[in-house]
Amino acid sequence: MRPLLHRQKELDLITGAMDAARHGSGGGSLVVVTGGLGTGKTALLRALPVRAERRGLRVVTASGAAFERDFEAGVLGQLLAPLLPGTPVAPPGDCAGPSAGPLQDDGLLALVAEYGAHTPLLMLVDDLQWADAASLRWLGLLAGRVAGLRVTLVVTLREGDPGEDDPRLQQLVEGASRVLRLGPLPPEGTADLIGALTGRPVDPAYARACHEVTGGRPLLLTAVLDALSGPGEGPGSADDVRAVHAVRPAALYERFAVVLRDQPAPVREFATALAVLGDGSEEELIGRLAGLDGTGRIEALRVLRRLGLVCEGPALRFVHPVVGEAVEEAMTPAEAESIRVHAALLLHLGGHPAERAAAQLLAASSCHEDWESDVLRAAAASALRRSAPDAAARYLRRALLGSSPEGPDRAELLVELAMVERDFAPRAALRHLAQALFLFPDTDQRAPVAGRIPPFLLDGAPSTTVDTVVRTAAELGEAATLTGTARGHALRLEARLRHPALAGPEEPAACGARLRALGPAPSLDTAAERELVTVLLHGAALAQTVNAAEAVALAERLLQHEPAATDHVHTALPLLTDVLVAADSLATIGPWLDTAYERARRENADVPRALIAVELTRLALARGDLTGAGAHAAEALAQDATDWATLQTLAPVVLAALEARDTALCERLLSGRREEAAPSHRPSLRRLIHGSAAVLRDDLPTALDCFLEWGRAAERAHWRNPAIVPWRTWASALHYRMGRPDRAHDLMEEEYARALSWGSPVAIGRAQRGKGAITEGARGIALLRESALTLEGSANALERARTSLLLGRRLLAQGRQAEAEDRLTRARTEALDCGAPWMVERAVRALQGIAGSRGEDVAATLTRTERRVAALASRGASNKAIAERLEVSSRAVEKHLTHVYRKLRVDGRTGLAAMARLLSDGAGPVHP
């Protein structure tokens, strides 16, 4: 039985009435206990028999029930049957003749009086509002005489019930000695009841959440706790607060449904309107939706509050979400459809926010009116303004249900929807754009739609979609023959079809000729012109029909005309990042991309966020920052980019995995759902991945075959720029290691010539290092010195580290220890900064061979304890774990690590991790 808490005042008052009746005649009384649903009236009655029996009172009970109202004298029979064992109680007033009623009444009253004279009585009637008419009439008679009897009559009455207005019931209440109204429990009462029900200490945050959700109503609180806890279990800690707010106790649905079914139509309709419009809705609006005038609205709300279904206060809301859900479940589908559409219309006509009206339409099964489509489209625009593209898409998808199957209104909605979906569901966006292209019969209508398809989506798009774009461009004609918007559409479509995703093997070379035809300073006044020039510049850079300086000048002009925006990823503009990276010019594009990324994050635009992260990955690689590249690549993959992007779109992520020797990431990219849609003319990134994996396992022939195959495909596609992918450098090194120096030199001479023609420091310096790597003696060292000098002007720290490492090792072999130490130390420092531990290890091992060097033994300058601390920290052990292992304090560990960082000239644990194998102390595994 539920414990009764915080009702001591009421208990004492009723106990006082029992004592008065017990001590003599003339002390009887009637106590009426009222309150809304679930406030504990029944629990109060159940606590009285124990007190009565301790005082020598005889207790008789009865309870009304809604479905027994027509059972004549049913409540009376329950109440008096214990006093008349074996004798049925006839309905008073219904025996033969008009005078029989009073005689029957008097007889029953005399019986009660006689019994009470010997033994005081406590008579309890629960839910009096459901008592049958005969019982209610007799109880009224008893109430009129109770003052002269040794009887305490206690009845409960639920407020708000339709039977509450019965004149006999009102008369009975008016004649009561006491009327006790039970309200909700206070916050401390809620906490006490939770503790009593669970037998456990109550977390304050949990108790507050329970009180907020239930309003202190014992019925609701008990149901919530039962729904959250299994048998014998209590509530958890504050971590369960969200569960309290989310739970919907099944036991309450039917209880609330029954209560509402018994209410008159205006009350039910007001409750339905509140459930549909939601908590916090305006009273007048709810009344209009319910079809009630001012008086009807006020009365319905009064009843619902008295029932305890609606909270007190200016903001209208149900006492628990289950109330509203029970109301909605009671509606038929037709009723729900009708009231939802009506609510949407009222909100629309009343000037309420479009999203509020649209929410009603989302719950309806169909919409066919023009105003409904207008509301949904306005709501979509509102959702976009608050950076909620998924909500905007839901509104537009709903609007599609009411559009004609093949009309222009449907095509326009499909385009509008696709523009929203591009930012979080790109494959769906492509599908809807393709459907719109099919629905638009006119070229002038199709052209702007085709121009809105992002190039990264056209890569791998169904051939029917690509063919439609090609046909539309052909029907539109050459841009030079057009003016106005038609010219802009033609330029955009030309950009799409010249994009590397679709362009044929001759296209990069043709891009250069097309770019030259635009003159030395191409017009960049419109977005369409800028998009086309970007594609042409990228193609010309691939084919090396422009040099790095020319490419940078034009790319910088393009960036000056383009604000850093998230939607640039849906155009050809990401190709500018490729161009500037190849040209080793990163100063402008870096801040531009950072700004665009931050906007994408604020706008919750997942796809732009992922694609900008891909661009930032390429930028980090160009700086030699493998740690940063890995972080940006992880960000792109966290947005599920492999579900919708081709491998070619994720090329920078592939290169980051190759540079970082991350075989797990390579496997993940290869196993992605979206296969690379690589036409025969386009080099396959899969071959690069397989080749790099073969190098790591020392399978040189396989690696060489992969790189040469990629190179042949690159040549066929006119991808000739060594700054894009230096495949000749990789293949040359493999030829040299396999004893084919002539082939190695031929490849590097061609690479070097092309690097000089392109003119970027990173391409030239890399080619010089490649030549030096396969050239023995002084000439090889000279080439490496040239590479180091050239790369001083490059942004790529990793390439500088590679050259410094190779040059240092060559100098060391020549016995030039001082210069070798300087070069190797620089290699180690830069490799640490870049996040290349394997290069750090090679530099450190080389430094160990220098007699008298500070690095002759990486641990030689460390004390024994420092070396053990460094070894454990390099393997990932926490300071606490190290302290426990060595039986020292955490503070001592911190001091030792500070000395280690200074002596080894490393930047924290990242640097130590790169030296893990060199610092091994044989201490065995340790868990951080």
Side-chain angles (χ1 to χ4, degrees), residues 633-643 647 650 653-654 657 662-675 686 689:
E635 168 70 9
L637 296 178
Q639 306 300 323
D640 298 322
T642 53
D643 287 347
L647 200 57
L650 299 177
V653 178
V654 173
D662 189 338
T663 54
L665 178 55
C666 287
E667 288 298 323
R668 178 179 176 183
L669 291 168
L670 288 176
S671 62
R673 186 172 64 83
R674 289 283 299 144
E675 294 294 326
R686 293 177 179 275
I689 295 176

Side-chain angles (χ1 to χ4, degrees), residues 567-589:
D567 59 359
H568 84 273
V569 300
H570 299 309
T571 71
L573 290 177
L575 295 178
L576 282 180
T577 302
D578 292 351
V579 172
L580 289 169
V581 163
D584 210 7
S585 178
L586 313 179
T588 304
I589 190 65

Side-chain angles (χ1 to χ4, degrees), residues 396-431:
L396 293 173
R397 289 170 187 153
R398 180 66 183 78
L400 277 175
L401 293 177
S403 62
S404 56
E406 298 181 357
D409 60 327
R410 182 175 185 82
E412 291 170 2
L413 274 171
L414 285 167
V415 174
E416 198 171 340
L417 173 59
M419 293 303 98
V420 175
E421 290 174 326
R422 291 192 309 183
D423 286 348
F424 71 95
R427 306 312 299 180
L430 176 63
R431 186 170 62 252

Side-chain angles (χ1 to χ4, degrees), residues 157-524:
L157 176 63
R158 190 174 71 193
E159 296 176 348
D161 191 89
E164 183 186 26
D165 296 328
D166 188 305
R168 289 167 295 190
L169 193 57
Q170 291 294 320
Q171 184 180 6
L172 192 148
V173 173
E174 290 169 1
S177 305
R178 291 275 186 178
V179 178
L180 306 178
R181 187 178 190 278
L182 300 187
L185 296 173
E188 60 271 20
T190 298
D192 291 343
L193 183 54
I194 295 172
L197 289 171
T198 63
R200 298 184 182 184
V202 181
D203 183 87
Y206 189 90
R208 284 195 299 274
C210 287
H211 190 76
E212 290 171 5
V213 168
T214 66
R217 292 166 177 80
L219 172 70
L220 299 185
L221 180 59
T222 304
V224 166
L225 294 178
D226 287 344
L228 289 173
S229 306
E233 297 179 357
S237 67
D239 294 336
D240 297 319
V241 166
R242 281 185 296 182
V244 172
H245 287 277
V247 70
R248 300 291 184 265
L252 294 178
Y253 280 93
E254 183 60 24
R255 184 74 176 268
F256 290 139
V258 168
V259 170
L260 286 167
R261 277 200 300 268
D262 287 340
Q263 300 305 311
V267 176
R268 295 197 308 272
E269 288 160 359
F270 190 92
T272 301
L274 176 56
V276 168
L277 291 170
D279 289 347
S281 297
E282 303 85 343
E283 181 181 334
E284 183 180 354
L285 180 64
I286 297 171
R288 291 179 63 193
L289 181 59
L292 302 175
D293 58 18
T295 302
R297 179 184 78 232
I298 293 170
E299 176 60 19
L301 179 57
R302 184 189 70 83
V303 169
L304 288 170
R305 280 181 169 154
R306 285 176 61 78
L307 279 169
L309 297 180
V310 172
C311 297
E312 298 290 342
L316 297 186
R317 65 181 184 88
F318 289 119
V319 294
H320 193 277
V322 168
V323 181
E325 293 169 11
V327 172
E328 292 194 70
E329 284 187 5
M331 289 190 286
T332 66
E335 289 170 341
E337 176 83 7
S338 176
I339 196 169
R340 290 288 184 185
V341 174
H342 187 197
L345 182 59
L346 286 178
L347 291 166
H348 173 57
L349 296 177
H352 293 269
E355 286 198 73
R356 191 176 175 192
Q360 299 296 332
L361 294 176
L362 287 179
S365 61
S366 63
C367 63
H368 302 286
E369 301 290 337
D370 289 342
W371 70 267
E372 294 174 325
S373 179
D374 293 341
V375 166
L376 290 163
R377 295 172 85 165
S382 175
L384 289 177
R385 286 193 294 272
R386 62 180 177 87
S387 300
D390 52 344
R394 282 198 301 273
Y395 297 137
L396 293 173
R397 289 170 187 153
R398 180 66 183 78
L400 277 175
L401 293 177
S403 62
S404 56
E406 298 181 357
D409 60 327
R410 182 175 185 82
E412 291 170 2
L413 274 171
L414 285 167
V415 174
E416 198 171 340
L417 173 59
M419 293 303 98
V420 175
E421 290 174 326
R422 291 192 309 183
D423 286 348
F424 71 95
R427 306 312 299 180
L430 176 63
R431 186 170 62 252
H432 290 140
L433 286 170
Q435 292 171 6
L437 285 174
F438 177 78
L439 291 176
F440 281 126
D442 187 79
T443 302
D444 292 336
Q445 293 175 309
R446 285 200 311 275
V449 177
R452 290 186 175 188
I453 301 178
F456 78 87
L457 283 180
L458 274 178
D459 186 7
S463 59
T464 53
T465 302
V466 177
D467 291 344
T468 302
V469 175
V470 172
R471 177 168 56 85
T472 301
E475 292 172 354
L476 199 59
E478 296 290 335
T481 65
L482 303 171
T483 59
T485 56
R487 177 176 179 273
H489 297 326
L491 292 173
R492 284 192 187 279
L493 293 184
E494 183 181 354
R496 293 293 181 281
L497 298 176
R498 288 184 181 273
H499 195 280
L502 297 177
E506 303 297 324
E507 191 55 43
C511 283
R514 178 79 167 94
L515 184 61
R516 286 192 298 273
L518 297 177
S523 172
L524 304 179

Side-chain angles (χ1 to χ4, degrees), residues 683-747:
S684 169
L685 283 171
R686 293 177 179 275
R687 300 308 296 163
L688 287 186
I689 295 176
H690 289 309
S692 298
V695 170
L696 292 178
R697 64 176 184 267
D698 247 5
D699 183 358
L700 303 189
T702 298
L704 181 60
D705 286 345
C706 290
F707 293 150
L708 291 176
E709 181 182 339
W710 196 93
R712 288 190 291 269
E715 285 297 303
R716 289 194 300 271
H718 289 254
W719 290 19
R720 295 173 176 172
N721 194 329
I724 305 297
V725 176
W727 67 271
R728 291 181 187 81
T729 300
W730 302 340
S732 170
L734 293 173
H735 273 307
Y736 187 76
R737 290 174 63 184
M738 294 168 68
R740 304 168 186 166
D742 292 343
R743 296 183 186 179
H745 281 287
D746 290 343
L747 282 172

